[in-house]
């Protein structure tokens, strides 16, 4: 039953100005022409069923037309293709979420997940006043923000390593260092999909630790802060600022786990998310300069003592 098959997996709250290739797939909008073509099947139904089928496709049009989707082209058994394409689309949307900007802010989240699993929290209240019924629905926290990827945005993403990440994902035999970059990217991407500041901190620190530590037996805070500072810092004072910030973030995380989070630490958090973003971009754009993660960490150590 092997046959060519094309699948579209809609992405929630996302539109693109132009189609683009990413991780072996194409990101493109579901067009009016595509929905019209799908709706032609209405004419093949008996007259008494056409209205119901037509309403179904109008619902499809309302929910999906104009929004982006992950287009996957495969040659395989159709049932396998559905499950496999969903896994592919999940990885694609995770990595794409890194570039939407939410990863740089402590209280915003990206909703560019596969449509249906974006987890938009809503609260509905049904109440009666003087015999009249009312239904009120509101979003919990911030309402979903449409991600519109323009041609200019895409060009900026590419300068920040989008195409490099894409190439690594589809590379038959990535190097050990490229595997480490992907591992970091998938951990790091989780921070884009939460609006809880401390959850973001936990995800980002996990991503940094997975890349900047040789093993779990070495001192975490000192080694991570030093290596991060050496890699992304250009001048002595900048490196001191990075080290101070990372140590402050570990302190904030520890305090939060025991006492909660206060707004006074917002400045430290904002600075931390910026340092992490710079590290990610520099790591990706240096993917061809190292063969293994140990080579990368040894280079940082050599630079530290040079």
């Amino acid at each position: 039953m092997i046959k060519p098959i094309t699948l579209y997996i809609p992405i929630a709250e996302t539109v693109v100005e132009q189609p683009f290739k990413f991780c072996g797939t194409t990101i493109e909008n579901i067009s009016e022409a595509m929905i019209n073509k799908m709706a032609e099947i209405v004419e093949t139904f008996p007259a008494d069923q056409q209205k119901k089928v037509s309403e179904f496709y109008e619902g499809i049009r309302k929910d999906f037309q104009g929004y982006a989707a992950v287009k996957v082209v495969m040659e395989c058994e159709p049932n396998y293709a559905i499950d496999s394409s969903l896994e592919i689309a999940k990885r694609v949307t995770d990595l794409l979420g890194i570039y939407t900007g939410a990863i740089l802010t402590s209280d915003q989240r990206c909703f560019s997940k596969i449509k249906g699993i974006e987890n938009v929290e809503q609260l509905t209240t049904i109440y009666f006043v003087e015999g009249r019924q009312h239904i009120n629905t509101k979003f919990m926290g911030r309402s979903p923000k449409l991600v519109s990827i323009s041609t200019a945005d895409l060009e900026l993403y590419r300068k920040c390593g989008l195409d490099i990440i894409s190439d690594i994902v589809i590379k038959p035999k990535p190097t050990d260092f490229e595997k480490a970059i992907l591992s970091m990217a998938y951990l790091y991407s989780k921070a884009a999909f939460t609006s809880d500041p401390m959850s973001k901190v936990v995800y980002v620190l996990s991503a940094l630790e997975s890349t900047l530590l040789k093993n779990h037996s070495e001192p975490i805070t000192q080694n991570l802060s030093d290596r991060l500072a050496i890699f992304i810092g250009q001048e002595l004072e900048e490196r001191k600022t990075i080290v101070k910030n990372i140590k402050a973030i570990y302190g904030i995380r520890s305090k939060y786990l025991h006492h909660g989070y206060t707004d006074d630490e917002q400045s430290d958090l904002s600075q931390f998310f910026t340092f992490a973003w710079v590290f990610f971009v520099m790591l990706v754009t240096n993917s061809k300069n190292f063969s293994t993660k140990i080579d990368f960490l040894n280079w940082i150590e050599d630079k530290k003592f040079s």
Side-chain angles (χ1 to χ4, degrees), residues 265-284:
E265 287 125 358
Q266 179 61 46
S267 177
D268 285 331
L269 291 173
S270 179
Q271 192 176 49
F272 170 65
F273 293 135
T274 299
F275 289 149
W277 167 252
V278 172
F279 173 78
F280 172 77
V281 172
M282 289 183 62
L283 187 75
V284 173

Side-chain angles (χ1 to χ4, degrees), residues 80-121:
Y80 170 80
I82 293 174
D83 292 338
S84 181
S85 66
L86 288 173
E87 286 299 313
I88 292 170
K90 183 181 183 302
R91 293 195 295 268
V92 166
T93 52
D94 282 352
L95 294 174
L96 194 60
I98 293 174
Y99 291 89
T100 61
I103 210 159
L104 282 164
T105 57
S106 61
D107 61 347
Q108 290 188 5
R109 59 173 290 200
C110 173
F111 289 90
S112 296
K113 286 278 194 180
I114 295 174
K115 189 169 178 61
I117 65 170
E118 65 271 26
N119 190 27
V120 181
E121 297 180 349

Side-chain angles (χ1 to χ4, degrees), residues 11-200:
I11 308 174
E13 307 298 333
T14 306
V15 299
V16 296
E17 187 174 339
Q18 65 176 44
F20 63 94
K21 302 289 186 182
F22 187 53
C23 301
T25 71
T26 303
I27 311 297
E28 63 179 58
N29 294 334
I30 296 176
S31 66
E32 180 182 11
M34 177 181 171
I35 301 294
N36 289 344
K37 185 68 176 176
M38 292 169 61
E40 289 177 0
I41 198 173
V42 173
E43 302 298 326
T44 67
F45 282 78
D48 62 337
Q49 297 181 25
Q50 287 186 8
K51 181 179 178 182
K52 185 175 182 179
V53 178
S54 179
E55 289 173 349
F56 169 78
Y57 280 99
E58 284 306 307
I60 294 291
R61 188 185 304 278
K62 179 181 177 182
D63 289 340
F64 301 113
Q65 183 174 306
Y67 288 96
V70 180
K71 179 183 177 182
V72 183
V73 179
M74 317 178 97
E75 188 165 338
C76 61
E77 194 276 322
N79 287 331
Y80 170 80
I82 293 174
D83 292 338
S84 181
S85 66
L86 288 173
E87 286 299 313
I88 292 170
K90 183 181 183 302
R91 293 195 295 268
V92 166
T93 52
D94 282 352
L95 294 174
L96 194 60
I98 293 174
Y99 291 89
T100 61
I103 210 159
L104 282 164
T105 57
S106 61
D107 61 347
Q108 290 188 5
R109 59 173 290 200
C110 173
F111 289 90
S112 296
K113 286 278 194 180
I114 295 174
K115 189 169 178 61
I117 65 170
E118 65 271 26
N119 190 27
V120 181
E121 297 180 349
Q122 299 182 65
L123 174 66
T124 298
T125 304
I126 302 172
Y127 60 99
F128 300 87
V129 179
E130 296 180 343
R132 298 183 63 182
Q133 62 174 329
H134 302 267
I135 301 176
N136 177 267
T137 300
K138 67 177 182 178
F139 294 107
M140 301 299 291
R142 291 176 180 249
S143 60
K145 182 180 179 181
L146 183 70
V147 174
S148 179
I149 302 176
S150 67
T151 303
D153 291 332
L154 196 56
E155 184 63 28
L156 180 60
Y157 295 172
R158 285 172 171 151
K159 289 179 180 178
C160 294
L162 184 77
D163 288 344
I164 299 173
I165 284 286
S166 178
D167 290 342
I168 293 174
V169 169
I170 62 176
K171 190 174 181 179
K173 293 183 178 180
T175 66
D176 175 77
F177 186 56
E178 289 171 336
K179 290 178 183 177
I181 290 173
L182 272 188
S183 177
M184 190 264 183
Y186 286 124
L187 280 171
Y188 185 49
S189 71
K190 294 179 184 296
F193 299 98
T194 177
S195 58
D196 177 66
M198 284 302 108
S199 294
K200 281 183 184 282

